[in-house]
């Protein structure tokens, strides 16, 4: 059972086609749209400002969304938020990606189809142009993204949209086995290649 809490009479909203892991926590003014995926341990605290995941977005394991009073923290359609990222009072544009353990601060805007690298710190008020690669602490735009890189990102997001469907259909709490079965099958999640292997360099 998903941990969902109302506060001040405001209750989170989760579209029936979205998947929210039972260990995630949703509080107050949270709006989760169609085909979204929210991973284990994610915290969406809509106890000050409004938090919005638009259609097809994902917010992965242990991510945090929060904001100041009267703010909106938004992940637009097909946004992709990697493990452990923190979003605070910011806007993540359509089809953009935030890397693992990155932080995006208040009033920052990450433009459409941009990628913020893992561990980057996007300072308050920063405006990232569309199709940009952003790295560093503090974050800076280092170059434009190629069509190949954006296609790679879009493919990864599509896998998370499929994961939302797979999770709704097949995930269930069970007892662990005591040993692996002979000829143990693998999870069928489709093919994926890390970007550094695709590009021959680490971004």
């Amino acid at each position: 059972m998903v941990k969902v809490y109302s506060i001040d009479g405001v209750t989170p909203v989760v579209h029936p086609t979205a998947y929210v892991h039972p260990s995630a926590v949703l509080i107050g003014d949270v709006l989760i749209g169609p085909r979204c995926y929210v991973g284990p341990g994610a915290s969406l605290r809509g106890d000050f400002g409004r938090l919005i995941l638009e259609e097809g977005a994902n917010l992965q394991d242990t991510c945090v969304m929060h904001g100041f009073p009267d703010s909106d923290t938004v992940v637009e359609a097909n946004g992709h938020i990697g493990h452990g990222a923190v979003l605070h009072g910011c806007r993540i544009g359509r089809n953009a990606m935030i890397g693992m353990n990155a932080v995006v601060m208040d009033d920052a805007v990450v433009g459409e189809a941009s990628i913020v690298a893992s561990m980057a710190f996007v300072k308050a008020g920063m405006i990232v142009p569309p199709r940009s690669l952003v790295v560093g602490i503090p974050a800076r735009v280092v170059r434009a993204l190629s069509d190949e890189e954006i296609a790679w990102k879009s493919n990864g997001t599509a896998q998370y949209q499929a994961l939302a469907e797979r999770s709704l259909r097949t995930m269930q709490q069970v007892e662990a086995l005591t040993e692996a079965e002979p000829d143990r099958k693998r999870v069928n999640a489709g093919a994926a290649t890390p970007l550094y292997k695709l590009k021959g360099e680490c971004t």
Side-chain angles (χ1 to χ4, degrees):
M1 189 73 170
V2 178
K3 297 176 178 69
V4 178
Y5 303 90
S6 67
I7 189 168
D8 297 331
V10 180
T11 300
V13 176
V14 178
H15 192 276
T17 61
Y19 177 79
V20 179
H21 190 274
S23 65
V25 177
L26 313 181
I27 300 171
D29 197 359
V30 177
L31 302 169
I32 297 178
R35 302 188 308 123
C36 289
Y37 174 88
V38 177
S43 175
L44 294 89
R45 280 185 47 213
D47 47 14
F48 285 0
R50 177 168 292 173
L51 312 179
I52 302 169
L53 294 182
E54 293 185 357
E55 181 169 3
N58 67 75
L59 187 80
Q60 297 171 22
D61 321 50
T62 72
C63 287
V64 174
M65 286 183 75
H66 196 239
F68 283 108
D70 298 322
S71 69
D72 286 358
T73 304
V74 181
V75 180
E76 294 184 8
N78 299 325
H80 190 105
I81 313 302
H83 316 288
V86 177
L87 308 180
H88 201 279
C90 56
R91 176 173 286 269
I92 309 304
R94 177 180 292 268
N95 202 37
M97 177 177 173
I98 308 301
M100 293 180 273
N101 289 310
V103 175
V104 186
M105 292 299 294
D106 303 278
D107 297 321
V109 177
V110 175
E112 179 174 354
S114 289
I115 295 177
V116 173
S118 297
M119 302 294 291
F121 178 80
V122 179
K123 64 184 181 180
M126 182 177 183
I127 306 299
V128 175
R131 296 177 61 102
S132 297
L133 176 63
V134 178
V135 303
I137 302 172
R140 68 194 189 284
V141 176
V142 294
R143 63 174 172 82
L145 291 170
S146 67
D147 291 342
E148 179 185 38
E149 289 167 320
I150 294 170
W152 171 86
K153 183 271 162 199
S154 297
N155 180 67
T157 301
Q159 288 186 307
Y160 268 90
Q161 292 163 351
L163 177 58
E165 296 172 6
R166 288 168 48 216
S167 297
L168 286 170
R169 189 174 66 251
T170 71
M171 190 179 290
Q172 55 186 311
Q173 188 169 359
V174 296
E175 294 292 325
L177 302 176
T178 56
E179 59 183 60
E181 317 92 305
D183 301 319
R184 181 178 174 87
K185 71 176 188 177
R186 298 185 71 92
V187 172
N188 181 15
T193 302
L195 185 56
Y196 81 94
K197 288 186 177 179
L198 188 70
K199 296 289 292 178
E201 60 184 39
C202 184
T203 56

